[in-house]
Amino acid sequence: MAVRVGVIGTGWIGSEHIRRITDRVGGAEVVAATDIDADRAARAVAGTGARVLAGSEEVVAADDVDAVVVTSWGPAHAESVVAAVEAGKPVFCEKPLATTAEDAQRVLDAEARHGSRLVQVGFMRRFDPGYAQMKDVIAGGGVGTPLMAHCVHRNPTVPESYHSEMAAQDTAVHEIDVMRWLLDDEISSVQVLTPRRTSHRFEHLRDPQFMLFEMAGGARVDLEVFVNCQYGYEIGCEVVGEEGTVRLPEIPGAVVRSAGRRSTPVLQDWVQRFAAAFDTEFQTWADEVAAGTPTTGPNAWDGYAAAVVTDAAVRALHSGGVVETGIKARPAFYA
Amino acid sequence: MAVRVGVIGTGWIGSEHIRRITDRVGGAEVVAATDIDADRAARAVAGTGARVLAGSEEVVAADDVDAVVVTSWGPAHAESVVAAVEAGKPVFCEKPLATTAEDAQRVLDAEARHGSRLVQVGFMRRFDPGYAQMKDVIAGGGVGTPLMAHCVHRNPTVPESYHSEMAAQDTAVHEIDVMRWLLDDEISSVQVLTPRRTSHRFEHLRDPQFMLFEMAGGARVDLEVFVNCQYGYEIGCEVVGEEGTVRLPEIPGAVVRSAGRRSTPVLQDWVQRFAAAFDTEFQTWADEVAAGTPTTGPNAWDGYAAAVVTDAAVRALHSGGVVETGIKARPAFYA
Amino acid sequence: MAVRVGVIGTGWIGSEHIRRITDRVGGAEVVAATDIDADRAARAVAGTGARVLAGSEEVVAADDVDAVVVTSWGPAHAESVVAAVEAGKPVFCEKPLATTAEDAQRVLDAEARHGSRLVQVGFMRRFDPGYAQMKDVIAGGGVGTPLMAHCVHRNPTVPESYHSEMAAQDTAVHEIDVMRWLLDDEISSVQVLTPRRTSHRFEHLRDPQFMLFEMAGGARVDLEVFVNCQYGYEIGCEVVGEEGTVRLPEIPGAVVRSAGRRSTPVLQDWVQRFAAAFDTEFQTWADEVAAGTPTTGPNAWDGYAAAVVTDAAVRALHSGGVVETGIKARPAFYA
Amino acid sequence: MAVRVGVIGTGWIGSEHIRRITDRVGGAEVVAATDIDADRAARAVAGTGARVLAGSEEVVAADDVDAVVVTSWGPAHAESVVAAVEAGKPVFCEKPLATTAEDAQRVLDAEARHGSRLVQVGFMRRFDPGYAQMKDVIAGGGVGTPLMAHCVHRNPTVPESYHSEMAAQDTAVHEIDVMRWLLDDEISSVQVLTPRRTSHRFEHLRDPQFMLFEMAGGARVDLEVFVNCQYGYEIGCEVVGEEGTVRLPEIPGAVVRSAGRRSTPVLQDWVQRFAAAFDTEFQTWADEVAAGTPTTGPNAWDGYAAAVVTDAAVRALHSGGVVETGIKARPAFYA
């Protein structure tokens, strides 16, 4: 009865998800996997009973694959997702859904042709208990109509391969999705300000960046992206509504009093921070796939919107000015 | 390669653990189960591929059962555990290990005869991230030699079947174990004070109770047990050392500002509070069983000590005075 | 129009109060002072325009002294207070009102003869904003009938002159008063437990001490007194009622995130901690004296009760057992 | 020996300061006051012994006035301050120092002619203990070179007379001063974004506003001004440096647990929030005036800079674009 999953791409995150599905998700098992490096694929499925297939087409086509997980290289995501949709199989695609708006549009078109939604995109924050509580409060009217949101996204350090555009593409993309969801609105424009640079960075990188988003309904979201903040990994978010505000909880830690100070540890990476969110994300997906109901996580439209806004943010970084995203209202198909 | 588990007792907690092992623990699977109600056992293993056996002897003896989980009625625990030890199989026993000190002693004797440790007792708090951080701080000398600890254990309400002795047996038993572990010392005496009773309780129940423990090394632990506190489920713990203190973190929640107040939700039950601890507990146990190394969780001695101290606490409730536990130093076998 | 104050005793606290009345309290001025060391008195009033008098009788008798502040050596308090009452003058007496129950009784008798209340005792915590909020919450029924309270009173260090009995007399006396006030009840018995001693203390001192108070109505109060806790000065208090709890706020400080930790400073002494409470205490007293209304701060009965309970606590420390305070219900005169 | 103060303007804030100097500040007394409404002046000094003078010239000229406090109508401030400087008297001017940059320049010119600094401007936040701790941390290198700051300034409601430009002139002006001080740098440009308006406001008002400041050294400051936030009065500030961040503490309150929530009260007005800061501000000023040393609080240059930046912010609100403040580096005279 378990959902039989085929995995396309077995790099770090693919291997993580294979372990997750195997070890921590009920009602799902990995039965097949592929990777451009077949040895890596073999190592990733060792001990799971899954077999290694030659390519993504084989995974999508396999009779015993009920659903597909796409965790390959970003630019290859859209093609695999479209193939899965055309095969009528539910597909979970790690973020990004696509690295260009055109590719994302292809996924929307494929789902439209298919006639129902099959795609979920891996924005795991929607499954974080703190964000979920915020969503409940906002959707329940607990703070009134949202007017503003203030966000921070900090990493202790990044490797040299991290470049300035990744502040939007890899980092801010999480807030782009989660703020669209929390505020239930599309992002209409983006601006990226560049504060004084930290000296703790590789020369080529603009860090920190301060991003300003305007929602279609007029709410404003600001976001500090600071990926070499040194002290730890931390995510902050406060939504300000007409009657109150709601804030993402700080991650707790044992409180030590000593030597004149009261202190708690700060997490050092996102894997710790969102481990529970990833588990809940996959469990929920597996349950919904098993039930045959449409998945309720972020869908192809969310992936498309993230691609469009991320693109605009990169252009805004380059231009220094306000960039319109040009995104349309959400189609009824994705309501 | 997965550890094949046989489960004795498929009531609420047994069924929970079957689901946990099946769905959220890697490297372990349930292959057999038994219960005095065979239909209940069948329901508990539905969809897992495990078979129902006639009794605990059959589970322990089954060739394909590598390790045993005991989640039957408390008074039956010791017998099943002894049987598993005599069969040379690792056994995880939900708390209590035994409901009398004599029964607990039988388990110690069985392990002594076997010559190595096979038993883990289900005190899941040691696997809670907050307590684990406390342990690290204390063991690392971060607050100096412990002198005192202040604990609270609150439930919103309890059913009528909960009686005054259960404050020690079912509720305080968790603190009895976790404080022995945090302070790395045995409890030498107990006293139970009875504050004014809450009016929100069934007539027969002493609630709240305020328990005072003295450790062999002289540290003092106090514990508020209040199982009809109305407002929520909450666990508090602060250990006071010669140079500082360390406190269990409060469970975070989205912070709402509205109508002149800043507020966060409080959890309402222990299942939510310790869900992650249960998962970590079983994953760690399964990993250690698979590795063939002794399990590092609470052992039979810890189960014995909890039984002895719980017993003393019940006598202290009845007598009103200080009751010596009479517990010996931990044998080298359990060092 | 200002209240003209005469001060008896110009040691550290007397000098502090002279400066307070002169500099930070409106509607009051110091016009006379005395001390066994006349030079010290002269230094204490320098720049205030007040004159030095020969003794406490002269201060009480002076025509231009409307109200008296007693800040002499503790054992001398009662005599000066009685004299002020007999002269019909409002008198503010620093804690303790008396160092023996007999002396405190003399003050009660003097007020009874006088026929109205003139005495306020310097328990400043009732004027701390945090405690005041707690009082409002409890008195307003916000947590239901109080059942328990958990308190801590920590100093970083004490000088060698601090002896074991002072844990009750000088330190716990503040909680003795404030808990009587918060719970609106008398303390009927005391027990003092002696946890393992900290090694950071002078040899003669029992530190920490853990005190247990029972209220006449059955509520239980526990109090950690730890005067060599090293890390800072900290006061904690949580009152647990039938429907909820209320807790004294932690003193805030700028939150620094750095090097993997989130931390805030802890205060190092009680002068900082209660500076605002002292100011409010004196301003309120001066306003009420000026208005000719009875002062609403802690009165002679509160001073008497503190003396009786403190006494019992000292005996409890010596005996190790439960000591009944023997205190009667509050007379209608002090309702 | 007390500093004898003359007060120009006895409206609400002038009367407050007269009471403050009389009642809560040591070493200072009000000896004269004036107001366009002589009756109001008489009421303001009632009971203080101060006399009412005909106009500001008389106050400045009075032989027994050692120092002047200017709390008149904003547009009249500069003239009185210049007069005091020309008379060689220390002068404390409530914010704003001037309502135009030209008027502020006149004060700078007067001090230059006089040859030493005599002016302090009433930016009381520098005397708030939380901000003072932040200053210490930043100046001590505790978070590294500042790169960004995130601020919020919220009032529950404002009266109809509050108009959109006052968001800069009356509200943000406090952050303009305190951020210049914390970051030890001038503000080079301003932009004002206008999020969706709250419906809880008078029709003419843009509320909230989101302001963006760039410092000469490249750090960026963002500020939410939301003066009809409904829930309470709250000030937030986090400075982000190269190695860490420091945050203004939240105002504490008694923590109540009840009905499934943990909550604390939020203050409702700035008078409560900054009462202690005002007292410290005046005490420090009086002490420094008495000592004859230059006052160390915000000076005329700070008043000038605030006027210039506030002006730029108003233009930025109207234009929607980035407005350069054109402010020069701080002259050595004000170092």
Side-chain angles (χ1 to χ4, degrees):
Chain A
M1 275 333 71
V3 174
R4 295 166 301 175
V5 175
V7 176
I8 297 171
T10 59
W12 184 84
I13 190 76
S15 299
E16 274 286 298
H17 289 340
I18 289 170
R19 276 200 295 278
R20 189 180 318 282
I21 293 167
T22 305
D23 291 348
R24 289 200 297 282
V25 171
E29 58 179 323
V30 178
V31 296
T34 191
D35 195 84
I36 47 168
D37 175 347
D39 286 349
R40 187 165 70 171
R43 285 194 304 274
V45 298
T48 66
R51 66 193 187 284
V52 174
L53 294 178
S56 61
E57 302 77 17
E58 285 80 356
V59 169
V60 168
D63 277 352
D64 64 345
V65 166
D66 303 320
V68 177
V69 166
V70 178
T71 44
S72 52
W73 186 48
H77 284 184
E79 188 183 337
S80 296
V81 172
V82 167
V85 170
E86 291 178 342
K89 295 188 176 181
V91 53
F92 178 99
C93 179
E94 251 313 316
K95 61 120 189 151
L97 175 62
T99 52
T100 67
E102 292 69 31
D103 271 3
Q105 183 65 51
R106 266 177 219 118
V107 176
L108 299 184
D109 294 345
E111 276 199 333
R113 285 194 306 272
H114 178 74
S116 72
R117 284 150 51 182
L118 290 169
V119 179
Q120 177 162 334
V121 182
F123 291 119
M124 77 292 188
R125 287 202 189 171
R126 300 192 186 191
F127 300 92
D128 173 73
Y131 276 116
Q133 283 182 32
M134 289 185 74
K135 178 69 178 172
D136 286 348
V137 168
I138 296 167
V143 297
T145 304
L147 304 175
M148 291 171 288
H150 310 304
C151 309
V152 303
H153 187 146
R154 296 175 187 150
N155 292 64
T157 55
V158 288
E160 188 162 4
S161 57
Y162 187 103
H163 53 77
S164 297
E165 290 75 12
M166 290 170 73
Q169 293 162 341
D170 266 43
T171 303
V173 67
H174 286 290
E175 272 83 11
I176 288 170
D177 180 67
V178 88
M179 296 315 301
R180 291 179 57 255
W181 176 64
L182 285 179
L183 303 184
D184 196 22
D185 199 3
E186 297 298 344
I187 294 172
S188 56
S189 77
V190 192
Q191 185 174 12
V192 179
L193 303 181
T194 49
R196 177 190 178 107
R197 298 181 194 204
T198 175
S199 58
H200 300 299
R201 73 186 202 291
F202 295 102
E203 193 53 37
H204 61 79
L205 182 60
R206 288 275 5 170
D207 184 43
Q209 297 180 25
F210 190 69
M211 302 186 182
L212 298 162
F213 301 95
E214 185 166 16
M215 310 303 293
R220 293 272 190 176
V221 175
D222 54 271
L223 166 61
E224 172 199 322
V225 172
F226 188 11
V227 295
N228 289 287
C229 83
Q230 307 299 310
Y231 78 84
Y233 180 82
E234 201 162 43
I235 300 300
C237 181
E238 182 182 34
V239 171
V240 182
E242 292 196 343
E243 281 112 40
T245 85
V246 58
R247 194 180 282 191
L248 195 64
E250 291 183 350
I251 299 304
V255 184
V256 175
R257 287 156 156 81
S258 69
R261 298 197 74 80
R262 189 166 65 222
S263 73
T264 54
V266 175
L267 293 184
Q268 293 302 308
D269 67 53
W270 59 271
V271 178
Q272 278 180 286
R273 173 65 181 83
F274 289 109
F278 278 116
D279 287 356
T280 305
E281 175 189 49
F282 268 85
Q283 186 66 63
T284 306
W285 179 72
D287 291 348
E288 293 175 343
V289 168
T293 57
T295 55
T296 55
N299 57 36
W301 176 258
D302 296 311
Y304 169 82
V308 168
V309 176
T310 301
D311 241 46
V314 169
R315 280 180 284 136
L317 172 66
H318 293 161
S319 78
V322 175
V323 172
E324 304 293 325
T325 62
I327 201 161
K328 306 154 286 188
R330 187 187 345 218
F333 188 76
Y334 292 102
Chain B
M1 268 350 58
V3 174
R4 296 166 302 176
V5 175
V7 176
I8 298 170
T10 59
W12 185 83
I13 190 75
S15 299
E16 274 286 299
H17 288 340
I18 289 171
R19 277 200 293 278
R20 189 181 317 282
I21 292 168
T22 305
D23 291 348
R24 290 200 296 283
V25 171
E29 57 180 323
V30 178
V31 296
T34 191
D35 195 84
I36 47 169
D37 175 347
D39 285 349
R40 187 165 70 170
R43 285 194 303 275
V45 298
T48 66
R51 68 193 185 284
V52 174
L53 294 178
S56 61
E57 303 76 17
E58 285 80 356
V59 170
V60 168
D63 277 352
D64 65 344
V65 165
D66 302 319
V68 177
V69 167
V70 178
T71 44
S72 51
W73 187 46
H77 284 184
E79 188 184 338
S80 296
V81 171
V82 167
V85 169
E86 291 178 342
K89 296 189 177 181
V91 53
F92 178 99
C93 180
E94 252 313 319
K95 60 119 189 153
L97 175 62
T99 51
T100 67
E102 294 68 32
D103 271 3
Q105 183 65 52
R106 269 178 215 117
V107 177
L108 298 185
D109 295 344
E111 275 199 333
R113 286 194 307 272
H114 177 73
S116 71
R117 286 149 50 183
L118 289 169
V119 179
Q120 178 163 332
V121 182
F123 292 120
M124 76 293 187
R125 287 203 189 171
R126 299 193 186 190
F127 299 92
D128 174 72
Y131 277 116
Q133 283 182 31
M134 290 185 74
K135 178 67 177 173
D136 286 348
V137 168
I138 295 166
V143 298
T145 304
L147 305 176
M148 290 171 287
H150 311 304
C151 309
V152 305
H153 188 147
R154 298 176 187 148
N155 292 64
T157 55
V158 287
E160 188 161 6
S161 57
Y162 188 103
H163 53 76
S164 297
E165 289 75 13
M166 290 170 74
Q169 292 161 341
D170 265 43
T171 302
V173 67
H174 286 290
E175 272 83 12
I176 288 169
D177 179 68
V178 87
M179 296 316 302
R180 291 179 57 254
W181 177 64
L182 286 179
L183 303 184
D184 195 23
D185 199 3
E186 298 299 344
I187 294 173
S188 57
S189 77
V190 192
Q191 185 174 10
V192 179
L193 304 181
T194 48
R196 177 190 177 108
R197 300 181 194 203
T198 176
S199 59
H200 300 298
R201 72 184 203 293
F202 294 100
E203 193 53 36
H204 62 78
L205 181 61
R206 288 270 11 166
D207 185 42
Q209 297 181 24
F210 191 68
M211 303 188 181
L212 297 162
F213 302 96
E214 184 166 18
M215 310 304 294
R220 292 271 189 176
V221 175
D222 54 271
L223 166 62
E224 171 198 323
V225 172
F226 188 11
V227 296
N228 290 287
C229 82
Q230 307 298 311
Y231 78 84
Y233 180 81
E234 201 161 43
I235 299 300
C237 180
E238 182 182 34
V239 171
V240 182
E242 292 196 342
E243 281 112 40
T245 85
V246 57
R247 194 179 283 192
L248 195 65
E250 291 183 350
I251 298 305
V255 184
V256 175
R257 286 156 157 82
S258 70
R261 297 198 74 80
R262 189 166 64 222
S263 73
T264 54
V266 175
L267 293 184
Q268 292 302 308
D269 67 53
W270 59 272
V271 179
Q272 278 180 287
R273 173 64 182 84
F274 289 109
F278 277 117
D279 287 356
T280 304
E281 175 188 51
F282 268 85
Q283 186 65 64
T284 305
W285 179 73
D287 290 347
E288 293 174 344
V289 168
T293 57
T295 55
T296 55
N299 57 37
W301 176 258
D302 297 312
Y304 169 82
V308 169
V309 177
T310 301
D311 241 45
V314 169
R315 279 179 286 135
L317 171 66
H318 294 161
S319 78
V322 176
V323 172
E324 304 293 324
T325 62
I327 201 161
K328 307 153 287 188
R330 186 186 347 216
F333 188 76
Y334 292 101
Chain C
M1 272 340 65
V3 174
R4 295 166 302 174
V5 175
V7 176
I8 297 171
T10 60
W12 185 83
I13 191 75
S15 299
E16 274 287 298
H17 288 340
I18 289 171
R19 277 200 293 278
R20 190 180 317 282
I21 292 166
T22 306
D23 291 347
R24 289 201 294 284
V25 171
E29 57 180 322
V30 179
V31 297
T34 191
D35 195 85
I36 48 169
D37 175 346
D39 286 349
R40 187 165 71 170
R43 286 195 302 274
V45 298
T48 67
R51 67 194 188 283
V52 174
L53 294 178
S56 61
E57 303 76 17
E58 285 81 355
V59 170
V60 168
D63 278 353
D64 64 346
V65 165
D66 301 320
V68 177
V69 166
V70 177
T71 44
S72 52
W73 186 48
H77 285 184
E79 188 184 337
S80 297
V81 171
V82 167
V85 169
E86 291 178 343
K89 296 189 177 181
V91 53
F92 178 99
C93 179
E94 251 314 316
K95 61 118 190 151
L97 174 62
T99 52
T100 67
E102 293 69 31
D103 270 2
Q105 184 64 52
R106 270 179 214 114
V107 176
L108 299 184
D109 295 344
E111 275 199 333
R113 287 194 305 273
H114 177 74
S116 71
R117 286 150 50 182
L118 289 170
V119 178
Q120 178 163 331
V121 182
F123 291 119
M124 77 290 186
R125 287 204 190 170
R126 300 192 187 191
F127 299 93
D128 174 72
Y131 276 116
Q133 283 182 31
M134 289 184 74
K135 179 68 178 172
D136 286 348
V137 169
I138 296 167
V143 297
T145 304
L147 305 175
M148 291 171 286
H150 311 304
C151 309
V152 304
H153 188 147
R154 297 176 187 150
N155 293 64
T157 56
V158 287
E160 189 162 4
S161 57
Y162 188 103
H163 54 75
S164 297
E165 289 76 12
M166 291 170 74
Q169 293 161 341
D170 267 43
T171 303
V173 67
H174 286 289
E175 272 82 11
I176 288 170
D177 179 67
V178 88
M179 296 315 302
R180 291 179 56 254
W181 177 64
L182 286 179
L183 303 184
D184 195 21
D185 198 4
E186 297 299 345
I187 294 172
S188 56
S189 77
V190 192
Q191 185 174 11
V192 179
L193 304 181
T194 49
R196 176 191 179 107
R197 299 180 194 204
T198 176
S199 57
H200 300 298
R201 74 187 200 291
F202 295 100
E203 193 52 36
H204 61 78
L205 182 61
R206 287 274 9 168
D207 185 42
Q209 296 180 23
F210 191 69
M211 303 187 181
L212 297 161
F213 302 95
E214 185 166 16
M215 310 304 295
R220 292 273 189 174
V221 176
D222 55 272
L223 166 62
E224 172 199 322
V225 173
F226 188 11
V227 296
N228 290 286
C229 82
Q230 308 297 312
Y231 77 84
Y233 180 81
E234 201 161 43
I235 299 300
C237 180
E238 182 181 33
V239 171
V240 182
E242 292 196 342
E243 281 112 41
T245 85
V246 57
R247 194 180 282 192
L248 194 65
E250 291 184 350
I251 298 304
V255 184
V256 174
R257 286 156 157 83
S258 70
R261 297 196 75 80
R262 190 166 64 221
S263 73
T264 54
V266 175
L267 293 185
Q268 292 302 307
D269 67 53
W270 60 272
V271 178
Q272 278 180 285
R273 173 64 181 84
F274 289 109
F278 278 116
D279 287 357
T280 304
E281 175 188 49
F282 268 84
Q283 185 66 62
T284 306
W285 180 71
D287 290 348
E288 293 174 344
V289 168
T293 57
T295 55
T296 56
N299 57 36
W301 175 259
D302 296 311
Y304 170 82
V308 168
V309 176
T310 300
D311 242 45
V314 169
R315 279 180 284 135
L317 171 67
H318 294 162
S319 79
V322 176
V323 172
E324 304 293 324
T325 62
I327 201 159
K328 305 153 289 190
R330 187 186 347 216
F333 187 77
Y334 291 102
Chain D
M1 273 336 68
V3 174
R4 296 165 301 175
V5 175
V7 176
I8 298 170
T10 60
W12 186 83
I13 190 76
S15 299
E16 274 287 298
H17 289 341
I18 289 170
R19 277 200 293 278
R20 189 181 316 283
I21 292 167
T22 305
D23 291 347
R24 289 200 296 283
V25 171
E29 56 180 322
V30 178
V31 295
T34 192
D35 195 84
I36 48 168
D37 176 347
D39 285 349
R40 187 166 71 170
R43 285 194 303 274
V45 297
T48 66
R51 67 194 187 284
V52 174
L53 293 178
S56 62
E57 303 77 16
E58 284 81 356
V59 170
V60 168
D63 277 352
D64 65 344
V65 165
D66 301 320
V68 177
V69 166
V70 177
T71 43
S72 52
W73 186 48
H77 284 184
E79 188 183 337
S80 296
V81 172
V82 167
V85 170
E86 291 178 343
K89 295 188 176 180
V91 53
F92 178 100
C93 179
E94 251 313 318
K95 61 119 191 152
L97 175 62
T99 52
T100 67
E102 293 69 31
D103 271 3
Q105 183 65 51
R106 268 178 216 116
V107 176
L108 299 185
D109 294 345
E111 275 200 333
R113 284 193 308 272
H114 177 74
S116 72
R117 286 150 50 182
L118 289 169
V119 179
Q120 178 163 332
V121 182
F123 292 119
M124 78 292 187
R125 287 203 190 171
R126 300 193 187 191
F127 299 92
D128 174 73
Y131 276 117
Q133 283 182 31
M134 289 185 74
K135 178 69 177 172
D136 286 347
V137 168
I138 295 167
V143 297
T145 304
L147 305 176
M148 291 172 286
H150 310 303
C151 308
V152 304
H153 188 145
R154 297 177 187 149
N155 292 64
T157 55
V158 287
E160 188 161 7
S161 57
Y162 188 102
H163 54 76
S164 297
E165 290 75 13
M166 290 170 73
Q169 292 161 342
D170 266 43
T171 303
V173 67
H174 286 290
E175 273 82 11
I176 288 169
D177 179 67
V178 87
M179 296 316 301
R180 291 179 57 253
W181 176 65
L182 285 179
L183 303 184
D184 195 22
D185 199 3
E186 297 299 345
I187 294 172
S188 57
S189 78
V190 192
Q191 185 174 10
V192 179
L193 303 181
T194 49
R196 177 191 179 106
R197 299 180 193 204
T198 176
S199 59
H200 300 299
R201 73 185 202 293
F202 294 102
E203 193 52 38
H204 62 78
L205 181 61
R206 287 272 9 167
D207 185 42
Q209 297 180 24
F210 191 68
M211 303 188 181
L212 298 161
F213 302 95
E214 185 167 15
M215 310 304 293
R220 294 273 188 174
V221 175
D222 54 272
L223 166 62
E224 173 198 322
V225 173
F226 189 10
V227 296
N228 290 287
C229 82
Q230 307 298 313
Y231 78 84
Y233 181 81
E234 200 161 43
I235 300 299
C237 181
E238 182 182 32
V239 171
V240 182
E242 292 196 343
E243 282 112 40
T245 84
V246 57
R247 195 180 281 192
L248 194 65
E250 292 182 350
I251 298 305
V255 184
V256 175
R257 285 157 158 83
S258 70
R261 298 197 74 80
R262 190 165 64 221
S263 73
T264 54
V266 175
L267 293 184
Q268 293 302 308
D269 67 53
W270 59 271
V271 178
Q272 276 180 286
R273 173 64 182 84
F274 289 109
F278 278 117
D279 288 356
T280 304
E281 176 189 49
F282 268 85
Q283 186 64 63
T284 305
W285 179 72
D287 290 347
E288 293 175 344
V289 168
T293 56
T295 55
T296 56
N299 57 37
W301 175 259
D302 296 312
Y304 170 81
V308 168
V309 176
T310 301
D311 242 45
V314 169
R315 279 180 284 135
L317 172 66
H318 293 162
S319 78
V322 176
V323 172
E324 303 293 324
T325 62
I327 200 161
K328 304 153 291 190
R330 187 185 348 216
F333 188 76
Y334 292 101

